[in-house]
Amino acid sequence: MESSEEKVVAVIMVGGPTKGTRFRPLSFNTPKPLFPLAGQPMVHHPISACKRIPNLAQIFLVGFYEEREFALYVSSISNELKIPVRYLKEDKPHGSAGGLYYFRNIIMEDNPSHICLLNCDVCCSFPLKDMLEAHKRYGGMGTVLVIKVSAESANQFGELVADPITKELLHYTEKPETFVSDLINCGVYIFTPDIFTAIEEVSTKREGQANIRHLSSFETLQYPTRTLPIDFVRLDQDILSPFAGKKKLYTYETMDFWEQIKTPGMSLKCSGLYLAQFRFTSPHQLAGGDGTKSASIVGDVYVHPSAKVHPTAKIGPNVSISANVRIGAGVRLISCIILDDVEVQENAVVINSIVGWKSSIGKWSRVQAS
């Protein structure tokens, strides 16, 4: 029997319909977290990574989509993984840290010693087990997954400075105007329950500032964060920045892939990254075929069991084929996502594209994005 102090819970922030507008039109028909990458819903990949954490008690999905939009998926994934997965709907946006704090009593039901916090629209290998071990060695309140990127692209993200020996987070700034560091925040964290005290301190301080706001209108202009709701707490600006350099936060650097899934084009790239990862984590998910009795498969390809693919078709690399798809004779698919109920007729070619639900690609057609 596992002791309660060893338990870990995972919290995955999934956002809501007012977020992720850059992902349109794909998010018009389905919530962004449920859009399929490598044949699985986007949120499935971090959930699968969480399942590999020792002593995992529960997984919580936190967002402000309607509960009915996640009910079927949450039920099926709970049964599949044999672990409780729950969707928690915010009454309003509370910020990345505020949303965690809003559901603190539910999250702490099992008295976990550690909380894994992930963002749904991050694509990476999620090295949570190794990250957790490092976090325990550091002995701090939190550990941030980080990665090195080019100096030219670093200012699109949260940049940070870490001690090269102790790995302590020394300085953090969100999307700076001038270059600070090529080390960026990956949006994956491990915290002790002390994070709730830190979030409460931010809210209490903001409440106190709100009470004296009327004393100086000039101060209000100087400090615009005072106009934020008391219960709206951002993990980056309100927690990482002020607690950096206080021996409370540490970093764990990944040498593997990492991307943010913000646009439809990026979803195609990330689908390919997850397909490549399947070679090591889920090889049974990848299709095979040499063109004799089944289609010729090149590289990493996922084909849903209900899809019908003609033996003369050539598929791959980086192709994901969803449920009830029909692929005709002589079809060539390269680097694409084919969504549910699509028909691709004889000798059509699809390259670098996402083919929407229930679409039909005619004979000898060519669909190619740049």
Side-chain angles (χ1 to χ4, degrees), residues 273-288:
L273 290 170
Y274 280 137
L275 284 169
Q277 189 187 30
F278 281 172
R279 291 181 229 155
F280 309 101
T281 61
S282 309
H284 63 280
Q285 297 270 26
L286 295 174

Side-chain angles (χ1 to χ4, degrees), residues 275 285-288 297-303 315-321:
L275 284 169
Q285 297 270 26
L286 295 174
I297 302 296
V298 181
D300 303 316
V301 172
Y302 169 84
V303 179
I315 315 295
N318 181 19
V319 172
S320 175
I321 298 175

Side-chain angles (χ1 to χ4, degrees), residues 23 26 32 35-38 42 123 259-274 318 320 336-337 339 353-354:
F23 203 69
L26 300 180
K32 180 181 173 182
F35 183 82
L37 303 177
M42 185 185 298
C123 170
E259 296 287 351
Q260 274 190 314
I261 314 167
K262 296 296 186 184
T263 63
M266 190 54 69
S267 69
L268 193 55
K269 178 179 181 180
C270 291
S271 184
L273 290 170
Y274 280 137
N318 181 19
S320 175
C336 56
I337 297 174
L339 297 172
S353 303
I354 299 172

Side-chain angles (χ1 to χ4, degrees), residues 73-246:
Y73 175 74
V74 164
S75 175
S76 65
I77 195 65
S78 297
N79 291 332
E80 179 185 332
L81 298 184
K82 303 292 187 288
I83 194 162
V85 179
R86 296 168 64 182
Y87 177 69
L88 304 177
K89 182 182 182 296
E90 296 181 75
D91 59 341
K92 61 179 181 179
H94 290 90
S96 47
L100 189 70
Y101 186 77
Y102 184 73
F103 292 110
R104 62 194 180 282
N105 293 334
I106 298 174
I107 291 168
M108 292 301 296
E109 279 176 350
D110 293 300
N111 295 317
S113 60
H114 295 90
I115 302 156
C116 295
L117 178 64
L118 304 83
N119 283 295
C120 175
D121 61 354
V122 164
C123 170
C124 70
S125 59
F126 299 105
L128 299 175
K129 184 178 179 182
D130 293 341
M131 194 176 166
L132 179 59
E133 291 174 359
H135 171 79
K136 291 177 179 178
R137 291 196 305 270
Y138 299 151
M141 176 182 73
T143 298
V144 185
L145 186 68
V146 302
I147 192 171
K148 282 189 176 178
V149 298
S150 68
E152 293 76 23
S153 64
N155 66 353
Q156 301 172 35
F157 310 100
E159 297 182 25
L160 55 94
V161 178
D163 187 300
I165 306 299
T166 66
K167 307 303 180 185
E168 182 191 354
L169 177 64
L170 300 176
H171 178 71
Y172 183 88
T173 180
E174 185 69 16
K175 298 180 181 177
E177 293 183 4
T178 57
F179 178 76
V180 174
S181 169
D182 59 357
L183 210 57
I184 66 164
N185 176 9
C186 291
V188 177
Y189 314 88
I190 293 179
F191 292 110
T192 64
D194 292 339
I195 184 62
F196 294 118
T197 303
I199 298 170
E200 188 174 10
E201 287 175 4
V202 172
S203 296
T204 302
K205 182 179 179 181
R206 191 176 289 158
E207 184 175 17
Q209 291 171 336
N211 290 336
I212 63 169
R213 189 183 303 161
H214 67 279
L215 296 177
S216 172
S217 58
F218 176 74
E219 276 193 330
T220 304
L221 293 173
Q222 291 293 95
Y223 301 98
T225 56
R226 292 183 179 177
T227 63
L228 288 172
I230 291 167
D231 59 353
F232 188 92
V233 183
R234 303 157 300 180
L235 195 58
D236 37 27
Q237 293 103 317
D238 298 325
I239 301 294
L240 299 187
S241 292
F243 282 92
K246 296 182 178 179

